[in-house]
Amino acid sequence: MAQRDYYDIDDILAGQERVPCILQVDLDGLGSSGSGTASKVQRNARWTLPYWMADRLDEEDYVTMEMSPMFAKRATRMYAASPESVQLRAICQYYYQFGMQLGNIVPDVPLVLRNMYMRRIQRVAHIAQQGHNVEALDFVQGLDKMELRMLKLCQQAQNAGTVWQQNKAYTLKKASAMSL
């Protein structure tokens, strides 16, 4: 079972991402026959379940979790070819967070995440330093939540550096005892 941070809302939302699963047992009363009565769901039926549920059911051997399409071989090859052009927000707003949860199960995912992050974060830092333009706007609109957080931190650091260079960061004030 993947280790998750119980109090981290981003971690919780990342766990809501759906993954394909294959049912390993027959389930009575969970299907729909169309006439309003419950029917049996047969073994080997395909379902998509939230990751947090699929992970637990996979551990108990009720389902077999399959690789999420966003981390399939074909997708990761596409990401490796041009990570800056991938619109992660359209794929999953919590792409890195979800990938870290899958990283405990699928050994290749952490390397894919690292390589993609290292290439994309350079562009994020460049945008934070140089400011936005039309080309940068398209890239920024495709950032996932973690990258957006990093962009804001880089912009704050850039602004703090500018304020410091202009000697506005700290000013000496006369103590109130001195004005007597």
Side-chain angles (χ1 to χ4, degrees), residues 8 59-60 69 103 136 170 173:
D8 184 5
E59 188 177 280
E60 299 290 328
Y170 303 102
K173 297 179 183 174

Side-chain angles (χ1 to χ4, degrees), residues 5-180:
D5 186 355
Y6 184 79
Y7 295 106
D8 184 5
I9 190 69
D10 290 339
D11 209 41
I12 293 167
L13 292 172
Q16 294 296 321
E17 200 60 41
R18 298 179 82 74
V19 293
C21 299
I22 298 174
L23 195 60
Q24 296 301 314
V25 295
D26 293 334
L27 297 175
D28 289 329
L30 289 179
S32 175
S33 63
S35 63
T37 60
S39 65
K40 187 175 192 175
V41 178
Q42 298 294 325
R43 180 180 187 182
N44 294 327
R46 294 189 168 278
W47 279 11
T48 56
L49 298 171
Y51 174 73
W52 63 268
M53 182 185 292
D55 187 34
R56 182 68 181 164
L57 291 174
D58 184 55
E59 188 177 280
E60 299 290 328
D61 294 326
Y62 289 113
V63 300
T64 301
M65 203 172 15
E66 294 182 335
M67 177 55 69
S68 174
M70 72 180 79
F71 292 104
K73 292 268 188 221
R74 181 177 178 212
T76 55
R77 280 194 305 263
M78 181 181 71
Y79 303 155
S82 179
E84 294 90 1
S85 66
V86 178
Q87 296 285 321
L88 287 183
R89 185 178 293 172
I91 296 170
C92 176
Q93 287 190 8
Y94 298 93
Y95 180 83
Y96 293 108
Q97 202 102 21
F98 179 53
M100 287 187 283
Q101 289 179 9
L102 283 179
N104 296 334
I105 300 167
V106 184
D108 296 341
V109 171
L111 183 61
V112 170
L113 292 174
R114 181 192 170 281
N115 292 339
M116 180 180 246
Y117 186 77
M118 294 306 288
R119 296 241 335 247
R120 288 174 63 94
I121 203 64
Q122 292 172 356
R123 180 111 185 255
V124 168
H126 179 74
I127 290 169
Q129 289 177 348
Q130 303 299 320
H132 294 292
N133 58 30
V134 175
E135 184 182 312
L137 184 61
D138 288 338
F139 180 72
V140 169
Q141 288 176 343
L143 298 178
D144 88 323
K145 295 287 185 177
M146 185 179 288
E147 292 170 330
L148 280 173
R149 209 172 311 129
M150 186 59 76
L151 176 64
K152 288 177 186 173
L153 287 172
C154 288
Q155 287 172 333
Q156 289 171 354
Q158 179 69 23
N159 291 340
T162 303
V163 167
W164 177 80
Q165 285 177 336
Q166 296 171 352
N167 292 327
K168 295 179 182 176
Y170 303 102
T171 57
L172 294 176
K173 297 179 183 174
K174 187 170 30 171
S176 59
M178 297 292 288
S179 57
L180 294 176

